[in-house]
């Protein structure tokens, strides 16, 4: 009989409304994040404020409500779907008498669970340590035990100073290792780009169906699941197109709103492949009511990593959930702007391959492929699921 793992942690979610207008989508997303991290949701506490409380983020009445839910469900942790300061986290833990984490910590934990490759694990550890360094508010003695505390502490040095020094040492080691891996990856990319093959990167909001589409196109076996951040490590495959020959396709990590800057920085080497691509397949969950906001969030991250000017082909995925037929849409200049597909069922994939062949032939003949900014001039919003704008 297989040994059972530890029981799932019981979590209370806190979501405050600051008038951003997409509260339902935020709640759905933090629920999926929590489940993706392996926790059980006991309760969701909602509230409305004009601005965060300086000491505890939420007001006293709302904190009392959270404490009541924690006691009623014997919860192990409280998850704020917001960014907490170190002081706010410390004050909340003191009042609630349980662990409190914020959105960044939750996302970092999911990344830590998903990382499989050596590089991915190094990137996640670096992001975690850099986040931890901003909130050393108590003795993080596990770091000392890892290194061996005797003989490391300087004269008059406090535990906090020691832990900061140990963190700094580990961060420098990780950055050095990642720099070497980044150089190796750069050599590999240069070798791939030395030919005339079209280099395509799949990008999109997490859980939009990128890995499912990648597997359907290339017959790969990349892990795909209905959960956030199922893919962290970039996978590259060649795809044969009868009309244009081989192209190179890469599956990448999904993006999300308020993606922690520590993660963007740590995954710089991975995301660099996106910035150097000839074409981005921007995969969109066309059945999501928040698809317009998700497209904007993805484009914001692309701008952060220097990929804003890379040409895009928007792939409206999950047709099986919208009831629309596969199709190719062109702008007023005859350029392909969008393709509607269902990666899960394979509907429309032949149209997508034809579109990719058109881009590959354009590169081979030296014709200019329009950037995202140029292609988006005439279209400001996605088509609604019923086909109206």
């Amino acid at each position: 009989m297989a040994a059972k793992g530890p029981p799932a942690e019981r979590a209370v979610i806190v979501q405050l409304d600051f008038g951003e207008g997409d509260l339902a989508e935020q709640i759905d997303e933090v629920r999926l994040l929590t489940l993706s991290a392996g926790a059980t949701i006991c309760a969701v506490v909602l509230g409305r404020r004009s601005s965060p409380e300086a000491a505890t983020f939420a007001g006293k009445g709302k904190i009392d409500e959270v404490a009541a839910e924690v006691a009623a469900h014997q919860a192990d942790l409280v998850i704020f779907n917001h960014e907490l300061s170190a002081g706010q986290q410390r004050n909340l833990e003191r009042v609630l008498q349980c662990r409190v984490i914020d959105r960044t910590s939750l996302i970092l934990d999911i990344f830590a669970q998903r990382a499989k490759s050596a590089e991915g694990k190094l990137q996640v550890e670096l992001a975690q340590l850099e986040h931890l360094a901003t909130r050393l508010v108590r003795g993080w003695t596990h770091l000392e035990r890892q290194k061996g505390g005797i003989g490391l502490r300087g004269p008059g040095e406090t535990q906090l100073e020691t832990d900061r020094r140990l963190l700094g040492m580990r961060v420098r080691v990780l950055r050095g290792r990642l720099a070497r891996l980044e150089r190796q990856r750069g050599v590999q990319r240069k070798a791939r780009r030395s030919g005339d093959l079209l280099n395509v990167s799949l990008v999109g909001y997490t859980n939009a169906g990128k890995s499912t589409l990648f597997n359907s196109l290339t017959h790969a076996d990349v892990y795909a699941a209905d959960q956030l951040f199922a893919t962290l490590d970039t996978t590259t495959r060649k795809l044969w197109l009868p009309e244009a020959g081989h192209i190179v396709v890469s599956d990448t990590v999904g993006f999300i709103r308020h993606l922690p800057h520590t993660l963007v920085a740590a995954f710089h080497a991975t995301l660099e492949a996106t910035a150097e691509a000839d074409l981005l397949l921007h995969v969109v969950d066309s059945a999501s009511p928040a698809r317009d906001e998700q497209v904007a969030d993805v484009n914001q991250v692309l701008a952060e990593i220097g990929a804003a000017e890379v040409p895009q082909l928007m792939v409206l995925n999950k047709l099986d959930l919208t009831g629309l037929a596969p199709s190719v849409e062109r702008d007023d200049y005859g350029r392909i702007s969008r393709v509607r597909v269902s990666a899960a069922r394979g509907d429309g994939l032949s149209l997508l391959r034809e579109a990719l062949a058109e881009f590959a032939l354009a590169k081979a003949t030296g014709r200019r492929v329009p950037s995202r900014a140029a292609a988006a001039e005439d279209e400001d919003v996605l088509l609604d699921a019923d086909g109206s704008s």
Side-chain angles (χ1 to χ4, degrees), residues 232-347:
L232 288 190
D233 300 311
T234 298
T235 303
T236 300
R237 294 285 188 275
K238 279 187 176 181
L239 171 63
W240 170 258
L241 301 173
E243 305 90 340
H246 278 111
I247 66 172
V248 177
V249 183
S250 299
D251 186 25
T252 60
V253 62
F255 299 150
I256 196 169
R257 77 180 76 191
H258 309 310
L259 188 66
H261 289 290
T262 50
L263 272 177
V264 174
F267 276 73
H268 178 265
T270 299
L271 297 174
E272 213 173 47
T274 300
E276 295 181 359
D278 298 310
L279 176 68
L280 301 180
L281 287 189
H282 187 158
V283 184
V284 179
D285 179 357
S286 62
S288 171
R291 57 192 177 276
D292 291 339
E293 292 82 2
Q294 292 174 358
V295 168
D297 290 327
V298 170
N299 287 331
Q300 180 179 345
V301 177
L302 290 174
E304 288 183 31
I305 62 175
E309 296 305 314
V310 179
Q312 282 191 21
L313 173 59
M314 189 167 289
V315 181
L316 300 178
N317 190 27
K318 304 189 181 181
L319 281 186
D320 46 304
L321 302 180
T322 66
L324 296 176
S327 63
V328 172
E329 299 176 21
R330 296 180 181 269
D331 60 21
D332 293 340
Y333 303 97
R335 301 174 303 206
I336 295 176
S337 58
R338 292 197 285 242
V339 181
R340 292 184 179 274
V341 305
S342 170
R345 294 195 317 202
D347 299 341

Side-chain angles (χ1 to χ4, degrees), residues 30-103:
V30 71
R31 282 181 175 273
L32 191 49
L33 282 169
T34 302
L35 295 173
S36 296
T40 299
I41 301 172
C42 298
V44 178
V45 177
L46 305 178
R48 179 177 294 180
R49 288 185 66 88
S50 58
S51 61
E53 172 71 27
T56 54
F57 197 85
K60 183 179 184 304
K62 191 58 58 178
I63 298 302
D64 291 341
E65 184 180 342
V66 174
E69 295 288 355
V70 169
H73 298 283
Q74 296 184 320
D76 303 295
L77 77 160
V78 173
I79 299 173
F80 275 72
N81 191 30
H82 306 277
E83 186 76 20
L84 298 176
S85 69
Q88 288 169 339
Q89 181 181 356
R90 179 177 68 250
N91 293 336
L92 286 167
E93 289 184 341
R94 183 182 298 123
V95 174
L96 298 175
Q97 294 295 300
C98 72
R99 281 188 300 117
V100 176
I101 64 173
D102 63 2
R103 179 184 175 85

Side-chain angles (χ1 to χ4, degrees), residues 141-154:
T141 54
H142 62 285
L143 291 171
E144 183 184 358
R145 284 199 298 271
Q146 287 176 0
K147 290 287 185 178
I150 297 176
L152 286 178
R153 184 169 301 149

Side-chain angles (χ1 to χ4, degrees), residues 28-248:
D28 289 342
E29 188 169 271
V30 71
R31 282 181 175 273
L32 191 49
L33 282 169
T34 302
L35 295 173
S36 296
T40 299
I41 301 172
C42 298
V44 178
V45 177
L46 305 178
R48 179 177 294 180
R49 288 185 66 88
S50 58
S51 61
E53 172 71 27
T56 54
F57 197 85
K60 183 179 184 304
K62 191 58 58 178
I63 298 302
D64 291 341
E65 184 180 342
V66 174
E69 295 288 355
V70 169
H73 298 283
Q74 296 184 320
D76 303 295
L77 77 160
V78 173
I79 299 173
F80 275 72
N81 191 30
H82 306 277
E83 186 76 20
L84 298 176
S85 69
Q88 288 169 339
Q89 181 181 356
R90 179 177 68 250
N91 293 336
L92 286 167
E93 289 184 341
R94 183 182 298 123
V95 174
L96 298 175
Q97 294 295 300
C98 72
R99 281 188 300 117
V100 176
I101 64 173
D102 63 2
R103 179 184 175 85
T104 295
S105 298
L106 179 60
I107 293 174
L108 287 171
D109 186 82
I110 296 172
F111 268 61
Q113 294 182 45
R114 300 283 191 273
K116 301 300 180 186
S117 70
E119 183 177 12
K121 291 176 180 178
L122 289 176
Q123 289 169 322
V124 171
E125 184 183 354
L126 176 60
Q128 287 180 315
L129 291 181
E130 291 184 329
H131 180 64
L132 179 63
T134 66
R135 50 194 62 228
L136 280 177
V137 294
R138 52 182 175 266
W140 298 91
T141 54
H142 62 285
L143 291 171
E144 183 184 358
R145 284 199 298 271
Q146 287 176 0
K147 290 287 185 178
I150 297 176
L152 286 178
R153 184 169 301 149
E157 191 171 25
T158 66
Q159 179 66 54
L160 186 61
E161 290 167 341
T162 300
D163 289 342
R164 281 179 175 152
R165 182 161 53 82
L166 294 176
L167 269 175
M169 292 166 54
R170 181 60 179 166
V171 165
R172 285 193 295 274
V173 169
L174 291 175
R175 285 177 176 167
R177 291 181 181 175
L178 285 171
R180 288 193 293 273
L181 288 172
E182 188 170 349
R183 287 193 294 270
Q184 294 172 8
R185 187 186 290 272
V187 171
Q188 294 168 353
R189 282 200 302 270
K190 186 177 180 180
R192 285 199 299 268
R193 291 175 62 86
S194 60
D196 294 326
L197 299 186
L198 181 75
N199 283 272
V200 179
S201 282
L202 274 68
V203 299
Y205 208 78
T206 184
N207 209 34
K210 295 182 305 302
S211 294
T212 301
L213 180 62
F214 181 79
N215 288 338
S216 298
L217 283 174
T218 66
H219 305 292
D221 56 355
V222 171
Y223 178 67
D226 185 18
Q227 56 185 203
L228 300 188
F229 302 117
T231 301
L232 288 190
D233 300 311
T234 298
T235 303
T236 300
R237 294 285 188 275
K238 279 187 176 181
L239 171 63
W240 170 258
L241 301 173
E243 305 90 340
H246 278 111
I247 66 172
V248 177

Side-chain angles (χ1 to χ4, degrees), residues 344-355:
R345 294 195 317 202
D347 299 341
L349 292 188
S350 60
L351 297 176
L352 179 56
R353 291 189 181 93
E354 291 173 7

